[in-house]
Each structure stands twice: as C-alpha cells, then as structure tokens.
Amino acid sequence: MEPNKFPSDLLQKYLDGSISETESAVLFAWLRENPSENNEALEAMLQEAYDGSMKEKPALSADVSQRILNRLMVSITEKENVRTIPFLRRPWVRYAAAAVLLLAVAGTARLLIQGKKQETPPIAVAVTSGSNRAVLKLSNGQEIVLDSAHGSIFQQQGITVHNDSGKLDYEGHADVVEYHTLSTPRGGQYKVQLPDGTAVWLNAASGITYPTAFTGKERKVKISGEAYFEVAANAKQPFRVDVDGKATVEVLGTRFNVNAYTDEQHIRTTLLEGRVKVVHGQQASVLKPGQEAQITAQGMDIVDSPDLEMAIAWKNGSFQFDHAHLKEVLRQMARWYDVTVIYEPGSTDIIFSGEIKRDLNLPQALIVLETMGVHFRIEGKQLIVMP
C-alpha cells in the first residue's frame, strides 16, 4: 500500500465484516497516522454506511456495528482511570457514530470494549427525552400550562398571545404594560417571540420575565437557566438581559447564547453575530462575534474562538461536548431527561468529546457512554452511576 493513501479496500472489508486481524491492524494504524479531517474518500464511505443504517433493513450487521463503535468511535486510551476519545470530534466519525447508535438502539446487546465482551445492563424504564413544555405566569399570578393550551390563550387591550407547537407569539402593542414570565421545567424547552419581534429559545429548567410592551429608552428582560436570543434590531432602544441578577448583557441587534445555570461553574455569554456588552460588577467588556464571556465569583474572562456550534447545540437538538468530564455531561442530560444523577463510590470518570441527539430516550442516549465502560442503572427518576 502506498504511504498516506487511504486504504479504501480495507475499510470496505471492515464494513463488510470480512477483514482479517492483520488487515485490521493496518487500517487502524493508518487512521492513527493520518488524522486529516478532510479525507473525502473516508467520509464518503462512512456517509454511505450511515445512509444504509437509516433504511428499514440496516446495511451493517450487529457485529460490524460493534467494531465500528469500539474502534472508530471509541478509540480509548486509559490513564489513571480516565478514558478519552481522541478521534470523536472529527466530522467523519459523526457518520460512524450516528450509524452505529441507530443499530445499537435497534437491538445490539453486546458491546466490545478493547477486545473484551461486556453485557449491557438491562434497563427496565425507558425515560423519554424532553419536549415542548412550559408555563406562562401572568402579572395577576394566573398560570397557563402551555402544553395543554393552544391557539389564542390571552388577550389584553392591544395584544393577543398565541400558543402553538412549542412557540409563544405576542402580536400587537399593549396599551397597559404588564410583566409575564415564561418558564420551562426540567425536561422542557420553549420558544417565545417577544412583542418587539425578538425570538428567544429557552432550554430546560430556564425562565424569562419580560413586559407585554417595551416602552421607554430600553428593552429589558430577565433570565435564569439558559436562553438563546435573536434580538430584533432597534438602535434607539437597546436590548438588555439581566442574567439572574448576576450580570447584564447589553445588545443592539444580535444573536447570542447565555448559559446561567446555578450548578455550572461559569455564566457564559457566547456571541454569534452582532455586538454585546457584558457587565459584571465593576467589569465591562464588549464582545466581538466569535467571543465568549465567562463569569465566576472571581471575575470575568473573555475567551476567543469558543466552539459556537457546541454553545447552541441544545437549540439545534443535540448535546455536544469537547473534553468534558462525565459529571458535566450528565448535568446537561439530567436537566433534559428530568432525572437525578447519583454516583456510587468508585464510579468511573471519563473525558468525553462528541455529540448525542436530544430526541433519543435516556437508555438510547446512554449507549455511547456505556461503551466507554461507564455503568448505569435507572430506578424511576434516578440515574445511578455504578463502579
């Protein structure tokens, strides 16, 4: 085989399940030595395998799916009981990961980890993924459960509030300004279009308080949890976000994400487009597109070139992680699946990089982590991590 030439014949044998141990060693030696993210031939073959797995009759056998999962997707190295996945952030691995995950969900019971067979523990309860659920609290204290109320749910002089398919929409201009609060539970998400046309997506366990009309010199809202904003431009009336009383984001017209969960280490404001000013105590910084402000009790730091796709992955229907510890991964998943995570003594830590779709139920989503040697059981609304 010519040096650096993509061994397409070996990969095809691998996908067919006919590769020998010697050929397998050659293939994976090539993958380790050629870490290019832009190998079109490799990506095309894995894309074809992925497309095949989407059909009614999967193109890959269970045995082959196990090998792809463990050799391409979970190329594990161990050091002091911490496992990492060096290849998982590459685009072509996503095709393999998605194809294998679909097959594993369809019925793969055994998973190979570093050449050893392990039984996937049976999971009795299928905890479903989150959905469009939220409660709208009016200024008089009345609460409207939005997943059971549809159409025109509130009318006031000048405005009508419509609710449909996970979206709350304010139309018109209120003569009398009142304050509404939209909140999502654990396992919920929702979108609201504010009276000025600004669109806000709320992640699970989040909330936003806003007026029914923006009057005066500024448009001001208050959030908790996590929210993604697409702010309607209005240079004469700046948009300000009170981040749970701990920071302020000042906006003219832009797209940005704010993560302010109290159980996370940082409050993060990530700017995708436009211009924002982040104020924390006596500190103030103006962000450029592609920057992120991270706030802790010690102060505020500006991070250049954060992973923008990862910052808004939740809005686009997935979890994405880059060298994240297991507890960080499971904090996000716990909010979405509305479960409590319990760690038994001696449970394994891992460093995880990759993507998990949010529309999977919990047992399906956990398959990727189980293949890395993390053991779970589900008891009601408890996710228990075992040694």
Side-chain angles (χ1 to χ4, degrees), residues 213-318:
F214 290 104
T215 59
K217 296 181 180 180
E218 66 178 15
R219 297 168 287 167
K220 189 172 183 178
V221 302
K222 182 176 181 177
I223 70 159
S224 60
E226 185 167 24
Y228 171 80
F229 288 81
E230 292 185 354
V231 177
N234 185 347
K236 295 180 180 179
Q237 196 179 35
F239 194 96
R240 287 185 170 85
V241 181
D242 178 341
V243 184
D244 204 19
K246 300 172 183 176
T248 301
V249 180
E250 301 178 1
V251 187
L252 291 178
T254 192
R255 297 190 299 126
F256 63 99
N257 191 81
V258 179
N259 182 318
Y261 286 116
T262 56
D263 58 353
E264 297 292 346
Q265 293 182 345
H266 305 88
I267 293 175
R268 298 194 304 271
T269 299
T270 311
L271 180 62
L272 283 80
E273 180 182 288
R275 180 173 174 268
V276 299
K277 181 180 181 181
V278 181
V279 180
H280 172 63
Q282 301 301 313
Q283 291 182 277
S285 295
V286 176
L287 299 186
K288 299 176 183 178
Q291 289 186 321
E292 180 177 272
Q294 296 184 353
I295 296 173
T296 64
Q298 287 69 45
M300 178 167 61
D301 293 318
I302 305 302
V303 176
D304 293 317
S305 302
D307 190 324
L308 302 182
E309 181 182 348
M310 187 165 61
I312 63 169
W314 68 268
K315 170 187 169 289
N316 296 328
S318 69

Side-chain angles (χ1 to χ4, degrees), residues 344-365:
E344 291 186 343
S347 55
T348 301
D349 188 17
I350 62 170
I351 304 296
F352 180 69
S353 295
E355 180 176 13
I356 302 172
K357 293 298 183 182
R358 280 166 54 114
D359 60 357
L360 298 172
N361 66 36
L362 183 57
Q364 292 170 344

Side-chain angles (χ1 to χ4, degrees), residues 37-331:
E37 295 187 357
N38 300 308
N39 192 305
E40 295 180 0
L42 177 58
E43 184 167 344
M45 292 188 71
L46 290 172
Q47 172 71 73
E48 183 178 354
Y50 169 69
D51 291 340
S53 71
M54 297 286 286
K55 299 176 182 178
E56 183 176 353
K57 183 178 181 181
L60 305 180
S61 69
D63 288 341
V64 174
S65 74
Q66 292 168 10
R67 286 203 295 273
I68 297 175
L69 184 61
N70 290 281
R71 302 294 286 277
L72 290 179
M73 182 178 157
V74 194
S75 182
I76 300 175
T77 59
E78 292 194 39
K79 182 178 181 180
E80 297 180 354
N81 205 33
V82 176
R83 298 187 177 98
T84 61
I85 308 179
F87 296 145
L88 201 52
R89 291 292 293 173
R90 297 180 191 167
W92 55 264
V93 176
R94 293 185 182 181
Y95 294 125
V100 171
L101 188 56
L102 286 169
L103 290 168
V105 167
T108 300
R110 288 183 176 272
L111 300 168
L112 299 176
I113 300 178
Q114 295 183 315
K116 297 180 180 180
K117 292 187 176 182
Q118 296 186 355
E119 289 286 348
T120 302
I123 299 176
V125 180
V127 179
T128 59
S129 66
S131 59
N132 293 323
R133 292 191 289 137
V135 174
L136 177 65
K137 185 175 182 179
L138 307 179
S139 59
N140 62 4
Q142 178 186 354
E143 294 186 348
I144 303 174
V145 179
L146 298 181
D147 38 314
S148 60
H150 305 283
S152 178
I153 62 170
F154 177 79
Q155 288 183 318
Q156 187 187 57
Q157 289 185 350
I159 68 163
T160 301
V161 181
H162 298 280
N163 179 52
D164 184 47
S165 302
K167 179 185 177 183
L168 201 62
D169 193 355
Y170 284 73
E171 293 183 355
H173 184 83
D175 298 329
V176 177
V177 178
E178 297 182 354
Y179 280 83
H180 291 179
T181 297
L182 178 67
S183 58
T184 57
R186 290 165 62 91
Q189 64 180 10
Y190 229 76
K191 177 183 178 182
V192 58
Q193 183 163 308
L194 301 178
D196 67 332
T198 292
V200 185
W201 286 256
L202 288 182
N203 202 351
S206 302
I208 180 171
T209 299
Y210 50 90
T212 55
F214 290 104
T215 59
K217 296 181 180 180
E218 66 178 15
R219 297 168 287 167
K220 189 172 183 178
V221 302
K222 182 176 181 177
I223 70 159
S224 60
E226 185 167 24
Y228 171 80
F229 288 81
E230 292 185 354
V231 177
N234 185 347
K236 295 180 180 179
Q237 196 179 35
F239 194 96
R240 287 185 170 85
V241 181
D242 178 341
V243 184
D244 204 19
K246 300 172 183 176
T248 301
V249 180
E250 301 178 1
V251 187
L252 291 178
T254 192
R255 297 190 299 126
F256 63 99
N257 191 81
V258 179
N259 182 318
Y261 286 116
T262 56
D263 58 353
E264 297 292 346
Q265 293 182 345
H266 305 88
I267 293 175
R268 298 194 304 271
T269 299
T270 311
L271 180 62
L272 283 80
E273 180 182 288
R275 180 173 174 268
V276 299
K277 181 180 181 181
V278 181
V279 180
H280 172 63
Q282 301 301 313
Q283 291 182 277
S285 295
V286 176
L287 299 186
K288 299 176 183 178
Q291 289 186 321
E292 180 177 272
Q294 296 184 353
I295 296 173
T296 64
Q298 287 69 45
M300 178 167 61
D301 293 318
I302 305 302
V303 176
D304 293 317
S305 302
D307 190 324
L308 302 182
E309 181 182 348
M310 187 165 61
I312 63 169
W314 68 268
K315 170 187 169 289
N316 296 328
S318 69
F319 302 100
Q320 285 192 21
F321 304 98
D322 186 9
H323 294 87
H325 281 270
L326 180 64
K327 288 187 177 181
E328 179 183 347
V329 173
L330 293 184
R331 277 200 304 271

